[in-house]
Amino acid sequence: MVLKIMWGITGSGDYMPEIIKIMKEISEKENNKITIALSKEAVRVTKWYKVWKELQTISPKPPIIDEGPNMPFIAGDLQYGKYNLFLIAPLTANSTAKIAHGIADTLITNAFAQCAKGKTPIYILPIDQETGTKTTILPSGEKFELTIREIDVENVNKIKTMKNITVLKNPEEIYDIIKKQIIK
């Protein structure tokens, strides 16, 4: 079964190279069709991490770039089931907070809000899921330690209570959801 996936990317560098690699593998396997939607900051971050050019080769269509909550209009296609799933990975703490509190003022957060009203399953990979410290890799390859705030974890936990939403713990779980969708 060929899957049609709407893949949203927000402006987090965490996991960015791994996610682009996974996205490419999934698009090549079984000829899955991935439509890529990027926040404004995701464009900048993919360029910083030097994966922008590779990202553009994953789908035959150019990536959709946020021009406003409904520009370009992707929410309708997600709501009425044109796609098998909506995946947002990586999801920044900022976008996680907006989603947790019903703020739909960007392309990705509005697409989430509208998709949640339909039956298309939503999978998200929020970056900040556990309090404490976390090591990330900078575009230069250097390691950088972050301290995750309690409020960010609370926002993730709030989303976990929403219907039709699955919160992924790490990028490797993306493979699992793709396998489940193919088996359906």
Side-chain angles (χ1 to χ4, degrees), residues 21-22 25-26 171-179:
K21 179 182 175 268
I22 290 168
E25 288 172 6
I26 289 169
E172 291 73 31
E173 286 188 352
I174 295 169
Y175 292 116
D176 297 333
I177 64 168
I178 299 303
K179 284 178 195 168

Side-chain angles (χ1 to χ4, degrees), residues 6-11 36-40 42 64-72 74-75 78 86-92 95-96 98-99 103-115 122 124:
M6 174 64 74
W7 196 313
I9 299 175
T10 63
I36 303 164
L38 297 124
S39 70
K40 292 173 188 170
I64 297 166
I65 299 172
D66 184 341
E67 296 175 35
N70 271 322
M71 287 298 294
I74 62 172
L78 283 163
F86 182 28
L87 171 63
I88 309 172
L91 182 64
T92 62
S95 293
T96 299
K98 288 180 177 192
I99 288 169
I103 299 169
D105 64 350
T106 67
L107 182 67
I108 301 294
T109 59
N110 186 56
F112 178 98
Q114 300 312 312
C115 185
I122 302 170
I124 63 170

Side-chain angles (χ1 to χ4, degrees), residues 13-111:
D14 276 352
Y15 304 128
M16 187 63 78
E18 298 97 313
I19 286 170
I20 301 303
K21 179 182 175 268
I22 290 168
M23 184 186 287
K24 189 169 182 120
E25 288 172 6
I26 289 169
S27 74
E28 291 170 353
K29 193 172 200 149
E30 307 291 329
N31 230 5
N32 292 311
K33 307 287 184 225
I34 298 176
T35 301
I36 303 164
L38 297 124
S39 70
K40 292 173 188 170
E41 290 305 313
V43 174
R44 183 177 319 212
V45 172
T46 57
K47 289 177 181 178
W48 282 342
Y49 278 83
K50 296 178 177 52
V51 294
W52 174 250
K53 288 181 182 176
E54 185 177 5
L55 179 71
Q56 293 180 328
T57 68
I58 292 171
S59 175
K61 298 179 196 174
I64 297 166
I65 299 172
D66 184 341
E67 296 175 35
N70 271 322
M71 287 298 294
F73 186 67
I74 62 172
D77 288 344
L78 283 163
Q79 232 176 5
Y80 75 78
K82 179 179 176 185
Y83 295 93
N84 298 96
L85 63 101
F86 182 28
L87 171 63
I88 309 172
L91 182 64
T92 62
N94 184 52
S95 293
T96 299
K98 288 180 177 192
I99 288 169
H101 295 279
I103 299 169
D105 64 350
T106 67
L107 182 67
I108 301 294
T109 59
N110 186 56

